[in-house]
Amino acid sequence: MSALPGAQLGAQLDAPPDAADADSPPGAPEQLELKVFARLYGEPMLRLPQDLYIPPDALEVILDAFEGPLDVLLYLIRRQNFDIFDIPMAEVTRQYLAYIDEIRSRNLELAAEYLLMAALLISIKSRMLLPVKKADSGEEVEDPRAELARRLIEYERIKLGAEEIDRLPQLGRDFLAANVWIEQAATTRLPSVDANDLRSAWADILRRARLVQHHRITREELSVREYMTIVLRRLQDRRFAEFDELFDTARGVPVVVVTFIALLELARESLIEITQAEAFAPIYVRLAYRPS
């Protein structure tokens, strides 16, 4: 099976001369080395087309790219080591206007901010040519270049900061993210629990527990006769006692209730007297008889 002629030509062009001499059998005629100017769709071009036309402005190399009028002014000032607080406006304005004319000559669109800065430079230059007049208050008149110097210093600070940030390693430009697939099952690491969250959860559990808490009623053996005896003993050595003093509120509601029933029973049996001097006056309790 014979190879195509085009394939043989491509192999001869791609192969180095030494390899071609080594593969050729002894006594074979020498092959000429052809110069390849370019490759179009993988096919070598052995000569340039006769109707090839390259316009003069097809390729343009711009060494200094500026991001705005302040960038141009800062470049002109730093390149010539001018003092930013004492800018020679005549020379800087001349160079700036020359840069504007160069842009216009190349048929490039000129932004309005460049023209505005040119007008500002001409205005500052004109104000510096006028005689300086002192203000009515006696203070010195501000230098017309002060505002421009402040803007240039602020712009340079921001530009240097942006360059520092750009020098930091960036994902996709300086390094790539490594993705590693681990077949074995990794241990799941749960997030740590904050102490405040744990305390809130415990308080919520206690609140719900109080809602379903069972109320247990226990029966306490209290004797009315016993408390009747206790009331009589308290009244033996006293002519009278206030009604409130006969109740022991510290022992709870059941004891208070039994004490009140005991007082009613003693009053029913005429063993005690419950008296009151007038309406809304204190209530007193005393024995209905005087023991001998």
Side-chain angles (χ1 to χ4, degrees):
M1 181 177 179
S2 60
L4 297 177
Q8 295 178 356
L9 178 60
Q12 294 173 2
L13 293 176
D14 297 337
D18 297 340
D21 296 342
D23 295 340
S24 59
E30 296 182 357
Q31 297 179 355
L32 297 178
E33 181 180 358
L34 301 179
K35 184 177 181 181
V36 179
F37 291 95
R39 289 182 178 273
L40 182 62
Y41 299 107
E43 296 295 333
M45 297 181 63
L46 304 180
R47 59 181 181 177
L48 295 175
Q50 298 297 329
D51 56 349
L52 180 63
Y53 171 72
I54 301 177
D57 56 349
L59 180 62
E60 182 177 3
V61 180
I62 301 176
L63 298 180
D64 298 319
F66 302 106
E67 299 179 357
L70 288 177
D71 201 9
V72 178
L73 286 178
L74 188 62
Y75 171 76
L76 295 176
I77 293 172
R78 293 308 186 193
R79 185 184 65 176
Q80 302 175 85
N81 294 326
F82 290 151
D83 186 4
I84 200 169
F85 295 102
D86 188 15
I87 304 174
M89 296 305 303
E91 182 64 22
V92 173
T93 304
R94 184 188 63 80
Q95 296 180 12
Y96 184 84
L97 294 178
Y99 173 74
I100 297 298
D101 294 337
E102 181 69 19
I103 293 180
R104 286 180 172 178
S105 65
R106 297 177 181 273
N107 298 325
L108 297 178
E109 294 183 359
L110 191 62
E113 55 184 4
Y114 285 90
L115 300 178
L116 180 62
M117 180 58 69
L120 178 62
L121 293 176
I122 295 174
S123 175
I124 296 175
K125 179 183 176 183
S126 302
R127 290 168 58 188
M128 293 184 64
L129 295 176
L130 298 176
V132 179
K133 295 182 179 181
K134 292 187 177 181
D136 298 336
S137 60
E139 299 180 356
E140 295 184 358
V141 181
E142 186 180 6
D143 192 344
R145 302 168 295 180
E147 179 63 20
L148 179 61
R150 184 191 63 80
R151 292 175 58 185
L152 287 172
I153 292 175
E154 184 178 357
Y155 175 77
E156 185 179 25
R157 186 183 299 113
I158 296 175
K159 183 178 180 180
L160 294 177
E163 292 176 357
E164 290 293 335
I165 295 176
D166 187 67
R167 280 194 288 266
L168 296 177
Q170 296 183 11
L171 178 63
R173 187 192 67 178
D174 302 317
F175 62 92
L176 299 175
N179 297 323
V180 180
W181 175 260
I182 302 178
E183 296 183 357
Q184 61 182 3
T187 304
T188 304
R189 184 177 182 180
L190 299 178
S192 58
V193 181
D194 190 13
N196 295 327
D197 296 339
L198 187 61
R199 184 172 61 252
S200 300
W202 170 242
D204 185 64
I205 293 175
L206 289 180
R207 181 181 57 82
R208 287 182 293 170
R210 292 191 184 100
L211 295 177
V212 297
Q213 185 177 6
H214 298 285
H215 181 66
R216 296 182 179 181
I217 300 176
T218 58
R219 183 177 180 180
E220 185 177 0
E221 297 292 341
L222 296 176
S223 173
V224 177
R225 290 292 178 182
E226 180 182 357
Y227 278 88
M228 290 172 63
T229 306
I230 294 175
V231 172
L232 292 176
R233 287 177 181 174
R234 289 181 180 179
L235 295 175
Q236 280 183 358
D237 300 332
R238 304 171 64 179
R239 292 184 56 188
F240 58 85
E242 291 190 8
F243 185 77
D244 298 342
E245 296 177 357
L246 300 176
F247 294 91
D248 189 3
T249 57
R251 298 185 61 183
V253 176
V255 174
V256 173
V257 172
V258 173
T259 304
F260 182 69
I261 296 174
L263 287 173
L264 296 178
E265 287 292 330
L266 291 173
R268 186 176 64 84
E269 296 178 2
S270 300
L271 296 177
I272 62 173
E273 293 180 357
I274 301 175
T275 60
Q276 186 179 21
E278 58 184 357
F280 304 106
I283 301 174
Y284 295 96
V285 180
R286 68 178 181 178
L287 292 175
Y289 66 98
R290 302 299 299 174
S292 56

